[in-house]
Structure formats: C-alpha cells, structure tokens
Amino acid sequence: MAERSGILPAEEEIRKCLELRHTKAVQDKLAAAKVAVCGLGGLGSAIAIALARSGIGQLHLIDFDRVDLSNLNRQQYAVSQLGQPKPEALAEEIRRFSPYAKFITDFIKLTEENIPQLLAEDTYICEAFDSAEQKAMLTNCVLTELPGKYLVGGSGMAGYSDSNAIRTRKITEHYYLCGDGVSEIREGWGLMAPRVMICAAHQANMIIRLILDEEV
C-alpha cells in the first residue's frame, strides 16, 4: 500500500486490512465484541491498545486517575497528556492508529455499588488494578453479581524475573488469571514495563481467545 502522509484512510480500508490479516469471519467476531478494561495503568493501557489494534468493536475504558509523571515508566501515555483523565488520554492515544475506534469512557472509581450497572453491557471484562483490595473487590463483584460475563485478571508481574513464569490459568468457567501469581512489589522490585506488558499481552490474548470461542 502506498504511503499517504496526512491522509486519513477510510474506515472500510482499515477494516479490509484487518480482514486480510485475520480473515473476515474472525474480524466479524472481534468487531461485534464489547470489552471493558478496568484500571488504565501499566496493565490496562497496554491491554486496551492491544485489543484496539486487533479491531475490537467497542472498548469501555474505566479509571478514576489522571496521568502522572510517575506513570510514564510503564504506562501507554505521553508527556503531553500529564494531568489528563486516563480514560480520555488513552482514547486519544488509540485514535492515533485507530481513528474510528468506538469507546465508552468512564472517569470514575469502581465500587461494589456501581459495578453491576457500569459493566452491564460488557461481555468481557479485564481486571487491571494495582491494589490487591481493588482486584478482590472487582473479582468478587463480577463473579457474584454479573453471571455470564467473562473476567480476565492479573496477579504477579512485579520486577524482572523470568518472563516465561507469567502464564494464563483457568480458574473457573468464566474467570481466568494471568501472571506468575507470586511476584509482589517490594524495595528494588517494582512494576517495570517489560514484565507488565507481558502480562497485559496474556490478558488481551485471553480475551481474544474467548471472543473467538477457542477451546481453553
């Protein structure tokens, strides 16, 4: 395809390119999917970008935080976005390569009270929080209050240990967990971009497998 600097491609052109890569049958399923990403830090921002590049039909981006300088070591934001709400900043980044992407953005903190309503229309849900308490709260609420939804979470990705220790495990019929399950943040062993992105790729790939009905 010829270079066309500054010219916005038609939506149909972008869709055709995805179909050439994935086949039309696969792309039809991806385009019909609705995925929520809860928490847009290192995990969530990378998950959302991977899913958007794959042609997911609608992304629901949820976070109550703003882009901070301390985020830039592992999160998919730019210096020019410092101070912006993360849902809007991430949608802005995605539109740079996927100008017709469809979003719902919620600049809000998820709670036991608002989760059932906020996630009611999303079939697939990614848990991408840093806090263990938030992870447990979202997981318990989705599994008990939103039966039939698919939940893919992350646990254990701190530091710079073996990349291959990060894996995807099936916990229940509708709940999958990615990570090594043991690596916690400690002095000199924080969240670093490579391992966080590996875990994010596991989560995004698991969502795609579920959308495409791959036997797990």
Side-chain angles (χ1 to χ4, degrees), residues 7 9 36 61 70 72-73 78 84 86 125 130 137-139 156 161 169 179 192 194 200-201 206 214 216:
I7 299 175
L61 306 177
S70 65
L72 301 184
N73 77 312
Q84 290 185 25
K86 286 184 177 179
I125 300 165
D130 290 336
M137 181 272 296
L138 177 63
T139 300
S161 189
R169 292 173 289 149
M192 301 179 72
M206 190 66 245
E214 180 180 336
V216 180

Side-chain angles (χ1 to χ4, degrees), residues 137-188:
M137 181 272 296
L138 177 63
T139 300
N140 291 336
C141 193
V142 170
L143 295 180
T144 58
E145 301 296 328
L146 296 169
K149 308 287 186 185
Y150 288 95
L151 177 65
V152 179
S155 177
M157 67 214 71
Y160 42 89
S161 189
D162 183 7
S163 298
N164 295 326
I166 293 176
R167 60 193 183 95
T168 302
R169 292 173 289 149
K170 183 176 183 178
I171 307 301
T172 71
E173 194 64 31
H174 285 254
Y175 177 38
Y176 298 80
L177 193 59
C178 306
D180 65 20
V182 295
S183 295
E184 296 182 353
I185 298 170
R186 62 179 189 269
E187 183 70 25

Side-chain angles (χ1 to χ4, degrees), residues 31-170:
K34 297 180 178 180
V35 182
V37 183
C38 303
L40 303 177
L43 267 185
S45 60
I47 291 167
I49 283 178
L51 292 175
R53 288 194 183 277
S54 302
I56 294 298
Q58 178 176 284
L59 287 172
H60 188 178
L61 306 177
I62 307 170
D63 202 305
F64 67 95
D65 204 2
R66 295 178 182 271
V67 181
D68 182 81
L69 189 60
S70 65
N71 301 152
L72 301 184
N73 77 312
R74 69 192 186 283
Q75 301 184 19
Q76 305 302 306
Y77 302 104
V79 171
S80 61
Q81 295 176 314
L82 291 173
Q84 290 185 25
K86 286 184 177 179
E88 285 81 358
L90 188 55
E92 179 182 279
E93 282 298 294
I94 290 172
R95 286 194 183 98
R96 289 164 59 87
F97 62 82
S98 185
Y100 305 103
K102 296 179 176 62
F103 301 103
I104 297 173
T105 57
D106 277 310
F107 184 46
I108 191 171
K109 185 171 185 176
L110 288 172
T111 66
E112 292 179 356
E113 292 72 32
N114 64 23
I115 284 172
Q117 180 179 357
L118 282 171
L119 301 181
E121 301 301 317
D122 303 304
T123 307
Y124 307 94
I125 300 165
C126 279
E127 175 274 302
F129 291 139
D130 290 336
S131 160
E133 291 76 16
Q134 286 182 306
K135 287 176 179 290
M137 181 272 296
L138 177 63
T139 300
N140 291 336
C141 193
V142 170
L143 295 180
T144 58
E145 301 296 328
L146 296 169
K149 308 287 186 185
Y150 288 95
L151 177 65
V152 179
S155 177
M157 67 214 71
Y160 42 89
S161 189
D162 183 7
S163 298
N164 295 326
I166 293 176
R167 60 193 183 95
T168 302
R169 292 173 289 149
K170 183 176 183 178

